[in-house]
Every structure is written in structure tokens, then in C-alpha cells.
Amino acid sequence: MLRFMLRRVLLALPSLFGLLVITFLLIRVVPADPAAALAGDNATPEQIARIRHQYGFDRPLVAQFGLYIVDVAHLDFGESQYSSRPVARDIAERLPATLELTVSALLIGIVLGVPLGVVAAVHHNRWPDFLLRVLSIGGIAVAAFWFAIMLQLLFAMQLEWLPLRGRISDGMIAPAGPTGFLLVDSLLAGRIDAFRDALRHLALPAITLSLGGLATITRFTRAGVLETMQKDFVLYERAVGYPRRRLIWLYVLRNSVVATVTQIGLLFGGLIAGAVVVESIFDWPGIGDYTVQAILTADYKVMLAVTLLIGVIYAVVNIITDLLHGLIDPRLWDQL
């Protein structure tokens, strides 16, 4: 297992380097002057030139990239033009909010998607299957920003059941904790009031973000269970009268979730990238909202750092996914 993890880490490093190269070039292709954006609309050409020299924008492109790679190797991502603070500090403060939102959305997708996929497969080509297939297709097709606005209009503005935006109420003091996850820190501090308030704020953005993942997990679970139910061991167990519910939820499901686990791993990275839209709509103080502000101000150091962070998360999650494959089916270790 240790050799496998070391090999995967070494294979991920060239991919992350290529990601940095492509992102750096794409940002530079965009016809936007970060020095002009930083200086402001009323800046003079001399002021813009001075800022361009201060941040090294007047150097050759290769030299700028080389210096940036050296800084990244020392875990120095530079200073944000938007906040005038180190990018690493901004990301460290905002990342827990994004991870809390992403993990919550993924848990919703898993807890609901896996059982719904099993139900659809068990009732193949009957009304529960048709209904869940329509809902799963709709979940993939519906735009996240439209769904978020509809949830806000219904549950926050009309029914007034849930907050419209933010991570915690203005009058509520957020508990100081080691994790940065408000739900976890509230429980550790014994702050049930803060836990309830944070949970109410988390509900709408987490449901919005989970919609596409829920539909994907449902579809892949359904396909895996349908395939496994055609295997010889399932036909034999059914023929000898093995309890149907135990057979499906224990043995069939375990042999059907390999593809689903793969999709869950891919969805985790995708949800972090998709959180950009959701965080902007719900004013969620995570790296998604931070990235939007960086794009508007042409803060390329923030964009590079966030892109690298998402790439690292993808790589780590893929390694964990392969390890879970081996735990579910030890025969896969020979292939990994």
C-alpha cells in the first residue's frame, strides 16, 4: 500500500506542474492588465507603470513563471492584490468554509443517492425506476444558479424558514475552534445555538451544490446494482431462497459500488470547483467567493493558487478513492 501511494504521488506531480503551466498561460492570454486593475480607474500611466514594475509584470513571461515556481516550491503564493494579504493566509481562512459546504453536499448526495439508486435498480422498468430516472436527468440538467435562486425565493423570502445568505447570523458569535468547521466547532464548544444557526445557513447552499452529485450517484448506483443482479452468485442465492433484502443491501450493493466510489471521488473535486457559483449567490465566505473577487480584479496569484489547490485536492481524493477500491474488493490491489 505504501509503495502504491508513493507511486501515485510521484505521478501526480507532473500533472500539477502541467496544470500550473496551462493556467499561467491562459491567464496571461486574457487581455487584462492586472496593474491597471490594481491601480484603479483614475490612475495615471506613470502609476500603472510603477505598479507593473513593483509586482514584476514588466518581466518576460518565462522569468515570471520561473520565479513563481520557485515561490510555490517554498509554499509562498505571493500577496493578493485584492486583499493586500498573503494568498496562503486568505486561503487557509476561507478553505474550511468551502470544505464544510462541499462535504455536506457530498454527504447529502451519498446518503440519498445510493439508496435511491438501489431502489431504482430493484424496481427496474417500473414506476419508481422511471420517476427516479427523470429526476436524476433533471438534477444534472438544472443550472445551479437557477436552482439556488428558486430555493432562496421559496424558503428564505416567501416562507422565511431559512436564512437568505451568509454562514452565521450577524448577532451570533462564531465559536473559535481548531477545525474551522462551524458545525464541528460548535459541538466541541457546547454551543448548540451556534450549531443550529450554522446548520440553518448551510442547508440551502448544501442542497443546491448536492443536486448534480445526487443525480450522478443515483445513476451510477442504479447501473452497478443492475449489472451485479445478473451475476451467477445472485441468481444462485435467490434460487436457494436467501432473504432478498439482505442479499441486495449487503452483497449486491457491496459488489456494485466500485464505479459509484470512483464518481464520488471525482465529484468531490468537482463540487469544490462548482462552489464558486453557489458561494457567490449565498454570500458564503469560502474560496469560491474569494476566487470571483480575484477574477474581477485580475488577481492572477490568487487564481493560480486556487487552481493548484483544486488540482491537489483532485489528486489526493483520487488516491483515497483507489485505496477504497482496494478495501471494497481486495482483488483490485493487483491492478492498482
Side-chain angles (χ1 to χ4, degrees):
M1 182 182 298
L2 182 61
R3 181 182 299 178
F4 161 76
M5 294 182 62
L6 181 60
R7 186 174 72 248
R8 290 300 305 271
V9 170
L10 293 177
L11 290 175
L13 292 179
S15 301
L16 295 176
F17 179 78
L19 178 65
L20 272 181
V21 172
I22 294 174
T23 307
F24 190 87
L25 293 177
L26 288 177
I27 291 175
R28 289 308 188 182
V29 167
V30 176
D33 188 355
L38 184 61
D41 296 334
N42 299 324
T44 64
E46 292 76 14
Q47 291 174 327
I48 295 176
R50 186 164 54 251
I51 293 177
R52 187 179 293 113
H53 178 73
Q54 177 183 352
Y55 286 92
F57 296 140
D58 55 348
R59 297 181 180 180
L61 189 62
V62 176
Q64 293 183 42
F65 182 73
L67 292 175
Y68 182 75
I69 291 297
V70 173
D71 291 339
V72 169
H74 292 85
L75 299 181
D76 180 11
F77 299 98
E79 184 178 284
S80 170
Q81 301 167 202
Y82 168 69
S83 64
S84 299
R85 300 185 346 145
V87 175
R89 182 188 301 177
D90 285 343
I91 291 179
E93 292 179 357
R94 293 172 174 267
L95 183 59
T98 297
L99 290 179
E100 184 175 43
L101 175 60
T102 304
V103 171
S104 301
L106 190 61
L107 287 177
I108 293 174
I110 295 173
V111 171
L112 296 180
V114 172
L116 290 177
V118 174
V119 170
V122 172
H123 298 86
H124 180 53
N125 284 339
R126 283 180 282 178
W127 72 264
D129 184 26
F130 287 119
L131 177 61
L132 289 173
R133 285 160 65 182
V134 171
L135 293 178
S136 62
I137 294 174
I140 297 175
V142 170
F145 70 89
W146 179 86
F147 188 62
I149 294 174
M150 293 299 104
L151 291 179
Q152 286 180 325
L153 289 174
L154 177 60
F155 293 101
M157 302 181 68
Q158 186 171 353
L159 299 177
E160 298 183 354
W161 289 354
L162 296 171
L164 181 63
R165 60 184 60 196
R167 195 181 180 197
I168 196 169
S169 298
D170 294 335
M172 183 73 63
I173 300 176
T179 66
F181 289 68
L182 281 184
L183 297 180
V184 177
D185 293 339
S186 299
L187 292 178
L188 292 177
R191 293 280 307 281
I192 303 301
D193 57 337
F195 176 82
R196 292 176 178 174
D197 188 76
L199 187 61
R200 293 179 69 249
H201 282 81
L202 179 64
L204 292 184
I207 292 173
T208 302
L209 190 60
S210 69
L211 184 61
L214 171 61
T216 301
I217 293 173
T218 301
R219 290 169 60 87
F220 273 86
T221 303
R222 173 185 177 274
V225 172
L226 282 176
E227 182 181 357
T228 304
M229 290 180 67
Q230 306 302 319
K231 298 293 182 64
D232 292 338
F233 81 91
V234 177
L235 299 177
Y236 172 78
E237 295 293 344
R238 294 176 63 180
V240 299
Y242 196 84
R244 177 179 174 84
R245 181 173 299 179
R246 181 177 176 85
L247 173 64
I248 292 175
W249 291 99
L250 183 60
Y251 297 103
V252 172
L253 182 60
R254 179 177 179 181
N255 288 272
S256 306
V257 296
V258 173
T260 303
V261 169
T262 302
Q263 288 302 313
I264 291 174
L266 296 175
L267 282 172
F268 188 81
L271 289 176
I272 291 181
V276 173
V277 176
V278 177
E279 289 184 2
S280 299
I281 295 176
F282 288 97
D283 196 20
W284 190 264
I287 60 173
D289 181 67
Y290 183 53
T291 305
V292 170
Q293 299 299 327
I295 293 173
L296 296 177
T297 57
D299 195 344
Y300 81 98
K301 289 187 177 181
V302 173
M303 290 185 278
L304 285 172
V306 171
T307 302
L308 179 62
L309 173 65
I310 295 176
V312 170
I313 292 176
Y314 260 111
V316 172
V317 171
N318 283 334
I319 295 174
I320 295 176
T321 300
D322 289 339
L323 292 176
L324 291 177
H325 285 169
L327 295 177
I328 295 173
D329 189 353
R331 295 173 301 177
L332 296 176
W333 282 117
D334 297 332
Q335 302 176 15
L336 297 176

